[in-house]
Amino acid sequence: MFHSIGDKSPNWNGWKLVLPAVSIGNVGQLAMDLVITTLSMKKVGYLHHESLQALCGNDALNSNSGITEGNLTIGTEVFEQADKRLVCVQQRVLFVKGKQAAFRRDLLEWIKTCGFTSVTVLTSSASHERIDCQLTGNPFRYLTTPSFDKLLGDSFEKTFDWTRLERRKDNWSGNHGNQSDITDEASGVFIPGGGLAAKLFRECCERDVALAVLLVFCSEGDNIPDALNLVQYLNQWLKLAEENSAGNAKGGPWKYPASWSLLFGREVDPTLY
């Protein structure tokens, strides 16, 4: 599944893994762009899987070269930051219809093989699907598997004052017709528009993987503010960027990648009018 672009396979035993879910507003992917660019992370390989659609384009991250050098970006790439013992996956493509389950299965095998201490999924959830208690206040929520709780306990709530995602009686991960095979930890987890997050959470509960899901409620549109919001929460925990460091003027310590200059296309040529 993982293919290294170096001479030898990296050793990530004891490192942390962060990856996005392709979700509403692409918030998780935008947040990953911010992390990878700000930390100047090194591209070390890519994920190749039959479930992932093909993509090849110009360098999306290098703010120095931008569109001039012709460095290639492909669908799902892997980056590392050795000083922080951090691995990040950036996924820019959708899944082939009916193949996501196979990807999740092989992804978990890769996670186990690499020996990551924890896995964090960045995602979003459709704001129009919120229940009453979610309509006001902070739009951020989190989920953790039992294995993750053994590592950190309830520090997310006590230290950071985060809110755990509320469970729903009428919905659960996977929308199965029978709840008998759903673990207590995963029952009632509903993340509409959240991509693979809910099902991966359920499978990590079953397979004893230390996983945290960080999400924000949002709608489609300009989702850069949502990505900045989400990555700030990630930063509270992992301490990736100094809050007072020089970065993008609008994004605090976070640096925008070169590709964001074309996020909404070029400005209209005024001579047209």
Side-chain angles (χ1 to χ4, degrees), residues 140-151:
F140 171 80
R141 295 292 188 275
Y142 81 95
L143 284 169
T144 51
T145 64
S147 294
F148 193 96
D149 291 335
K150 291 177 184 177
L151 292 175

Side-chain angles (χ1 to χ4, degrees), residues 45 83 185:
D83 292 342
E185 295 84 3

Side-chain angles (χ1 to χ4, degrees), residues 144-211:
T144 51
T145 64
S147 294
F148 193 96
D149 291 335
K150 291 177 184 177
L151 292 175
L152 292 180
D154 56 359
S155 63
F156 278 179
E157 293 182 2
K158 288 187 175 181
T159 304
F160 306 135
D161 195 26
W162 291 1
T163 302
R164 189 180 293 268
L165 181 67
E166 298 83 356
R167 305 303 176 97
R168 300 194 188 187
K169 295 181 180 179
D170 297 330
N171 299 282
W172 61 91
S173 175
N175 292 323
H176 293 271
N178 184 356
Q179 286 198 25
S180 61
D181 62 339
I182 307 296
T183 63
D184 290 340
E185 295 84 3
S187 64
V189 172
F190 186 56
I191 310 178
L196 56 65
K199 291 182 179 179
L200 184 63
F201 176 79
R202 175 196 170 194
E203 290 163 357
C204 286
C205 287
E206 295 171 346
R207 299 196 57 182
D208 201 29
V209 174
L211 175 134

